[in-house]
Every structure is written in structure tokens, then in C-alpha cells.
Amino acid sequence: MNPHNRRGILTMMSAMLFFVTNDALVKIVSSELPTPQLIFVRGAFTTLLLLVLVVFTGQGAQWRTLRTRSIPIRALLDSAATFTYLTALFHLPLGNATAINLAAPLFLTLLAIVFLHERVGPFRWLMIVLGFAGVLLVVQPDASGLNAYAWLCVVGTLFHAGRDLLTRLVPAHVPSLLITLSTAAMVTLLAGLWTLTDTWLPVSSHNLLLLLGASACLAVAYQLLTLSM
């Protein structure tokens, strides 16, 4: 196997592990906090963590590399994916939402064929389908959870696939950590505007710790996903 493909597979698998952990943590908090406030608090923690990493690694000096059209479009797509997917997640069994979201490779492969003109043979299609079937066997989605929120989750998954496709179009000289930071900052900014339409509730120390853990998982997952793409 091509070593680049091997690294891509390993980083993608690791990213999915952190994404699912993040999903589980925010779903716990979602019973006590409004969706926009939850996304904003988690996003603020994530952005702060990434900003510290950017400063620590010295990548902040390369901020001008972010001035490429694909990066803000990617950040907007990720924001749309976050809002739609989490709204669906809070109204669906975790297994159902996970199963739908992990269909993203199917959508991404279709998008890559259409927009990047990549060639995908029968063997790769078979592996993708078998992988998704394996996901279904593990998470065992509940048929009762197939409702309007399930379709909203599909929309969020399509946005995720579009985000990942755009990652391939970002110039190679742009540091991956800066791409990750720009995405987290955009999600936080838009979630902050969304909170203006809702009432803020007090956040317990327990929920703050859960959101801090979720933000750490999200920061790692974002970075691994960017590296994988």
C-alpha cells in the first residue's frame, strides 16, 4: 500500500474516534443547554486550544497563507455541517446519528468523481460499502429513529463531505493547524450570532468540564481530518 494512503487511513480512523467521543459528550450536555449556546461554548474552548497550539508551534507567522478562497468557503461548509448535524444528533439515538454521519465516505467518493474527476474502481466501491455495512453492524441504528431529524442528519453529512472535498483544494503550503483554527473560529462566530436569538442558561461546572473534553476531542479530530484529506 502507498505510504501516503496508509497515513491517510490511520489519521482518518483516529479522527473518527475523536469525533464520536465529542458527539457522545455534547449529547450528554444537550439535555441542559440550548443548541446555539452549547456550540458556542464548545467552539470557544476549541478555538482557544487551537490558538495556543498555533502560537506554540510558531505557525501564526504564516497567517497570510489563509488568504485563499477555498478556506473561508470550507469554514462556512463546516459551520453548516456542525449546526445541522448537532441539531439532528440531539434528537436522534447516538447510534443512528453515527451511522448516518459515517456514510460521509460514500458521499465524498461521489463528489470526488464529479468534481475532482478521480477514478474509483469496483474494488474500492466494494470496500467503502463493506466498511459502511460494518458500521451499521456495530452501532445497530434503531428503526424508530428514522424521522425528519434523520434527513437533517443526512444534510449535515453532505456538508461534511463537501468540507472534506474542499480540503483537497487548499494549497499544500497552508499549515493544517491554521486551516483547523479558521474552521473552529468560523463555527464559534456564527454560533455566537445564533445565541442572540435564544436565552442563555447558566452552565454547571460539570457541563463545562464535559464541553472542555468535547472541545479537546474536536480540536484533535479537526486536525487529524485535515491531515488525512
Side-chain angles (χ1 to χ4, degrees):
M1 180 185 291
N2 184 304
H4 291 291
N5 287 344
R6 186 180 297 111
R7 285 195 294 270
I9 291 169
L10 290 174
T11 51
M12 176 62 80
M13 290 173 61
S14 301
M16 290 303 105
L17 172 63
F18 282 103
F19 272 128
V20 172
T21 305
N22 159 74
D23 289 348
L25 291 174
V26 296
K27 189 168 178 64
I28 294 171
V29 181
S30 67
S31 62
E32 298 183 29
L33 290 181
T35 299
Q37 182 182 349
L38 185 156
I39 296 175
F40 175 77
V41 173
R42 185 195 65 168
F45 279 144
T46 303
T47 302
L48 181 61
L49 287 171
L50 290 169
L51 189 59
V52 169
L53 285 174
V54 166
V55 173
F56 182 77
T57 59
Q59 293 186 23
Q62 302 181 60
W63 68 268
R64 290 181 179 82
T65 60
L66 292 175
R67 293 185 297 184
T68 177
R69 186 171 56 182
S70 57
I71 292 179
I73 296 175
R74 180 188 182 278
L76 285 171
L77 271 177
D78 191 87
S79 300
T82 298
F83 299 152
T84 52
Y85 175 69
L86 287 184
T87 300
L89 172 68
F90 300 156
H91 295 85
L92 288 173
L94 183 60
N96 287 50
T98 300
I100 295 171
N101 194 44
L102 291 182
L106 294 170
F107 297 136
L108 182 58
T109 302
L110 288 172
L111 292 175
I113 292 172
V114 174
F115 294 104
L116 300 181
H117 307 292
E118 293 195 3
R119 298 179 61 184
V120 181
F123 179 74
R124 288 192 178 183
W125 273 118
L126 178 61
M127 292 299 99
I128 292 170
V129 172
L130 286 176
F132 183 57
V135 169
L136 295 180
L137 288 173
V138 172
V139 301
Q140 298 183 11
D142 184 1
S144 64
L146 297 177
N147 51 33
Y149 286 107
W151 287 109
L152 184 63
C153 192
V154 171
V155 173
T157 301
L158 282 168
F159 282 136
H160 279 139
R163 171 204 63 193
D164 295 342
L165 184 77
L166 274 175
T167 306
R168 292 291 299 273
L169 303 179
V170 175
H173 66 273
V174 181
S176 59
L177 201 54
L178 286 181
I179 299 172
T180 304
L181 175 61
S182 67
T183 299
M186 180 69 77
V187 171
T188 305
L189 173 63
L190 294 179
L193 295 175
W194 189 9
T195 60
L196 299 178
T197 66
D198 209 338
T199 302
W200 271 69
L201 296 179
V203 186
S204 67
S205 57
H206 176 256
N207 283 339
L208 274 178
L209 285 174
L210 289 176
L211 289 176
L212 181 59
S215 67
C217 288
L218 189 64
V220 174
Y222 270 151
Q223 179 66 4
L224 289 170
L225 183 68
T226 303
L227 290 172
S228 178
M229 288 297 109

